[in-house]
Amino acid sequence: MMDILAAEIIQRFYTLLWPMTRISAFLLAAPFFSLQAVTVRIRILLALALTVLVYPLIEWPIIAPTSGAGVKELFSQVFIGVLMGLSLQVVSSALVVAGQAISATMGLSMANMIDPNMGNVPVIAQFLLICSTLIFLGFGGHAIVLRALMESFVTLPIGSPLEVQSLIMLLIDWSKWLFLGALLVAMPIMVSLLFINMGIGVITRAAPALNIFAVGFPAMIMAGILILSMSMPTIGFRIQSPVSYTHLRAHETGRNLVCRLLLEK
């Protein structure tokens, strides 16, 4: 009787190990869940809860983690989870780059804050990150992310051959949006400030006695804050609209499920 019970426990452990490994790796790399405010205990509990929820829905293969196939599968699940998390990090990095460009144009590049996830970033970048996080949570983006994570077990099942090169190429192709997304967010504000800077230059040329450092920098900061305030509705729309669920499902294919949440961005 004890031998049967021990064998069943080991079998359950072997099947629970693989989904929890993928989910834990994703929570470790995803931008929202990897914040220092989300402690290790919270991540472990969340990974365990998600594993328990997804466990009855799928038939899990029994692979001994101490075997060669088990070690290979362990690295595969970590790779898939980290790849999904890094794909989400591209979106946060795009907002940081946009905030850095706007701050440099406004003259606020020295006004920095310590971000637990991104490090030392300008205040405008931190502001955009906070707004994007609130928008993301507001329209249920966290639920979409978790659903994509759960559905990844169907498209990329445990024990199936993994096309590592194609997945890496998808991530590299998606990483270009780090700069394109930053350009879409920051370009209108940067162009507006460029024309204001040109006007200040013309005024300084016409009145050489005018102290450009005493007038130009405060004018650029005030104009930048005003333009940023006027541009927030369009910036919020650019953050929100690409991740609508209909658009998400329209791009779903078997190959790009790992990065599908972000390919819409």
Side-chain angles (χ1 to χ4, degrees):
M1 183 67 180
M2 293 298 296
D3 294 339
I4 297 175
L5 181 61
E8 185 178 354
I9 293 174
I10 294 174
Q11 180 179 347
R12 290 293 179 89
F13 171 75
Y14 285 169
T15 53
L16 278 171
L17 177 63
W18 310 117
M20 188 166 181
T21 300
R22 182 185 299 190
I23 294 172
S24 301
F26 171 77
L27 296 179
L28 182 66
F32 177 74
F33 301 101
S34 61
L35 295 174
Q36 290 186 358
V38 184
T39 62
V40 177
R41 292 181 180 179
I42 296 176
R43 294 178 203 167
I44 294 175
L45 291 176
L46 183 58
L48 184 59
L50 293 175
T51 303
V52 171
L53 289 175
V54 76
Y55 182 79
L57 304 177
I58 300 174
E59 288 289 336
W60 305 101
I62 301 175
I63 305 175
T66 55
S67 63
V71 173
K72 179 182 177 181
E73 192 62 31
L74 186 66
F75 281 103
S76 298
Q77 299 310 309
V78 172
F79 173 77
I80 294 173
V82 171
L83 188 67
M84 296 179 70
L86 289 179
S87 301
L88 286 171
Q89 289 284 3
V90 172
V91 180
S92 299
S93 300
L95 294 173
V96 170
V97 173
Q100 289 176 341
I102 295 172
S103 298
T105 309
M106 290 174 56
L108 290 176
S109 58
M110 296 298 293
N112 294 334
M113 293 182 64
I114 301 299
D115 183 83
N117 200 32
M118 293 293 178
N120 197 11
V121 298
V123 290
I124 302 298
Q126 185 69 17
F127 173 72
L128 292 178
L129 280 174
I130 294 174
C131 291
S132 66
T133 302
L134 294 176
I135 292 172
F136 183 74
L137 295 176
F139 65 80
H142 58 291
I144 298 176
V145 170
L146 294 179
R147 178 167 184 173
L149 177 62
M150 297 299 104
E151 291 183 358
S152 69
F153 292 108
V154 178
T155 306
L156 295 174
I158 307 294
S160 63
L162 190 63
E163 299 180 6
V164 177
Q165 185 174 1
S166 62
L167 292 177
I168 293 178
M169 291 304 298
L170 281 173
L171 180 62
I172 294 174
D173 181 67
W174 162 235
S175 64
K176 68 183 179 183
W177 287 99
L178 190 155
F179 303 101
L180 293 177
L183 188 65
L184 290 174
V185 172
M187 181 58 71
I189 301 175
M190 293 177 62
V191 171
S192 301
L193 292 177
L194 175 63
F195 284 110
I196 295 174
N197 208 354
M198 291 172 61
I200 294 175
V202 172
I203 294 173
T204 306
R205 188 70 174 176
L210 186 65
N211 189 348
I212 184 62
F213 296 101
V215 178
F217 286 154
M220 288 293 294
I221 294 175
M222 293 178 61
I225 294 176
L226 179 61
I227 295 172
L228 180 62
S229 301
M230 296 172 61
S231 303
M232 282 309 298
T234 59
I235 292 176
F237 178 76
R238 291 191 184 113
I239 295 173
Q240 177 179 358
S241 59
V243 198
S244 64
Y245 184 68
T246 304
H247 195 61
L248 182 69
R249 298 293 294 188
H251 285 76
E252 180 178 355
T253 64
R255 291 189 59 193
N256 67 2
L257 177 104
V258 172
C259 301
R260 65 173 188 156
L261 176 68
L262 307 164
L263 291 174
E264 348 294 334
K265 296 268 190 183

